[in-house]
Amino acid sequence: MPRTHELTRSRCYEIFSQSTGVEIREASKSHEDNGLVTERSGRVHLRFFKLTPRTTPDEVTQIRFICEPDEAFELGMRIAQVANSPVPVKEKLNPHKFSAGERGVETVTTLAIEKWERGGKSGYALTVGRGKDFISVPIPLTKFIFAGEFLRYMATAQCWVERVEKK
C-alpha cells in the first residue's frame, strides 16, 4: 500500500546562483520559563548556502541570519534603494552579535546588499559573513527586486506574538 506524506505549507523564496543560494522563509523565536514555552514571536529566516562540496572538513557550507520583522522590512527597503542606484553601492544591516560557550566568545554576523561593478560587468548580490567565512549570492535584478518585496511582505506577515494566557 502506498504511503502518503502530509505536506506542510510555508512562505519561502529561494534564489540560486551557480555555486551559492539563499532561502528566505518564515520562522519563530520561542521564550521559555522553567522548560515551558511562554511566548513565541514571528521572525524572518535567511539561510545562505553553498552548492559546492566541502573542500575541507571544517568548511562552512551555510550561514543563517534571523531577522526581527522590522529588520526584514529594512532589508527589503535597502534592496529597493540599491536596485535603483545609478552607481555601485554597498549597504549593510546592523550586525548581529551573540556570545556562545563558557568563554563567552562573541560571534558577529553581517549582512550586506550591493550593486557591484567589476571588469566591465555589473550585478547585484546579497552577502552574509560570520568571522572569516562569507557566502555571497549574485542575483539578477528582477529576482533581487522580488526578494526585497518578499522581505517587506514577510516583515508584516511575521509581525505576531503568541503568549500564554494569564488567568
Side-chain angles (χ1 to χ4, degrees), residues 76-87:
M77 290 184 61
R78 287 186 184 225
I79 286 173
Q81 290 171 344
V82 168
N84 290 321
S85 174
V87 296

Side-chain angles (χ1 to χ4, degrees), residues 101-166:
E102 292 176 10
R103 300 176 188 248
V105 176
E106 188 174 69
T107 302
V108 178
T109 308
T110 58
L111 181 58
I113 310 102
E114 72 176 307
K115 178 178 182 176
W116 54 268
E117 194 173 289
R118 288 180 208 96
K121 294 184 178 183
S122 64
Y124 302 87
L126 292 175
T127 303
V128 69
R130 181 173 290 149
K132 61 183 188 306
D133 299 310
F134 288 88
I135 298 175
S136 184
V137 183
I139 304 172
L141 178 59
T142 304
K143 290 184 180 213
F144 189 68
I145 294 169
F146 184 84
E149 288 297 313
F150 186 72
L151 282 158
R152 289 174 53 176
Y153 160 74
M154 288 294 287
T156 55
Q158 289 302 103
C159 200
W160 55 266
V161 65
E162 298 171 340
R163 290 189 178 109
V164 173
E165 193 174 312
K166 297 187 182 186

